[in-house]
């Protein structure tokens, strides 16, 4: 399992499935998220862990997302709730669709030099819906292929 600093927690609520293949998708998607946030906290946009869990357009998208923090010399602190996962396995057996929500209300950015923390502006909805397409690699790892998000697309 990818380690995060104690200053930032990812909390995965109901991230379980009775179906073994769906659980494998959830497990690898969880580690991909952990890898991305670990790369932000480590100031490492070229993280090998992120590259392991991302393929296709998702790899460049993740790097751009990580750099949106590291280029500004900020990291993440607090906690991020990840909830309401829904996995659909496609007929080809090696592609999956995963939708889930996050709640950013207790997650903050922290400026590395000043230590100043900042949350989302009050007018910004803290809930974000994600839709991810994953593909199973030849090593059996479910890798993010495409990701799209919609702020306000879900509610806790």
């Amino acid at each position: 399992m990818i380690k995060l600093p104690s200053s930032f927690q990812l909390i995965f609520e109901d991230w379980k499935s009775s179906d073994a293949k769906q659980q494998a998708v959830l497990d690898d998607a969880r580690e991909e998220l952990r890898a991305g946030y670990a790369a932000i906290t480590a100031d490492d946009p070229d993280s090998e862990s992120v590259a392991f869990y991302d393929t296709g357009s998702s790899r460049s998208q993740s790097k751009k997302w990580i750099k949106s923090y590291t280029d500004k010399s900020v990291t993440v602190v607090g906690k991020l709730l990840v909830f309401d996962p829904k996995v659909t396995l496609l007929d080809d057996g090696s592609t999956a669709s995963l939708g889930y929500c996050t709640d950013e209300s207790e997650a903050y950015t922290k400026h590395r030099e000043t230590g100043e923390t900042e949350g989302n502006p009050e007018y910004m909805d803290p809930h974000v819906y994600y839709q991810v397409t994953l593909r199973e690699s030849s090593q059996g790892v479910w890798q993010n292929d495409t990701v799209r998000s919609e702020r306000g697309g879900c509610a806790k």
Side-chain angles (χ1 to χ4, degrees):
M1 184 176 345
I2 294 169
K3 294 280 184 201
L4 291 167
S6 59
S7 59
F8 183 72
Q9 297 173 42
L10 279 172
I11 300 163
F12 293 88
E13 188 175 274
D14 299 325
W15 209 255
K16 291 182 173 45
S17 174
S18 58
D19 180 272
K21 200 154 190 174
Q22 285 187 8
Q23 188 61 53
V25 170
L26 290 169
D27 290 345
D28 287 343
R30 180 188 62 229
E31 290 308 297
E32 192 280 341
L33 262 178
R34 293 176 66 78
Y37 282 104
I40 291 169
T41 61
D43 198 15
D44 181 12
D46 296 312
S47 165
E48 288 182 21
S49 295
V50 172
F52 181 78
Y53 286 105
D54 285 349
T55 188
S57 66
S58 180
R59 187 170 292 177
S60 60
Q61 191 177 358
S62 288
K63 185 172 182 172
K64 185 177 177 181
W65 171 67
I66 294 163
K67 286 177 73 55
S68 76
Y69 288 85
T70 61
D71 286 356
K72 295 180 207 161
S73 196
V74 295
T75 187
V76 289
V77 295
K79 61 182 167 186
L80 181 72
L81 179 64
V82 187
F83 63 99
D84 201 20
K86 294 195 178 18
V87 177
T88 303
L89 295 165
L90 279 66
D91 291 339
D92 68 4
S94 62
T95 307
S97 174
L98 169 63
Y100 63 88
C101 294
T102 61
D103 180 350
E104 298 178 343
S105 59
E106 294 184 55
Y108 307 92
T109 56
K110 180 179 179 182
H111 295 267
R112 293 181 189 276
E113 286 86 32
T114 66
E116 216 175 293
T117 60
E118 213 175 294
N120 284 336
E122 281 187 32
Y123 64 84
M124 190 179 284
D125 191 322
H127 297 104
V128 182
Y129 175 75
Y130 289 88
Q131 185 64 50
V132 184
T133 301
L134 300 98
R135 301 201 188 286
E136 189 175 24
S137 73
S138 57
Q139 293 85 25
V141 177
W142 288 92
Q143 298 175 305
N144 283 13
D145 187 51
T146 62
V147 180
R148 68 174 184 80
S149 62
E150 179 187 348
R151 184 163 296 279
C154 50
K156 181 71 179 141

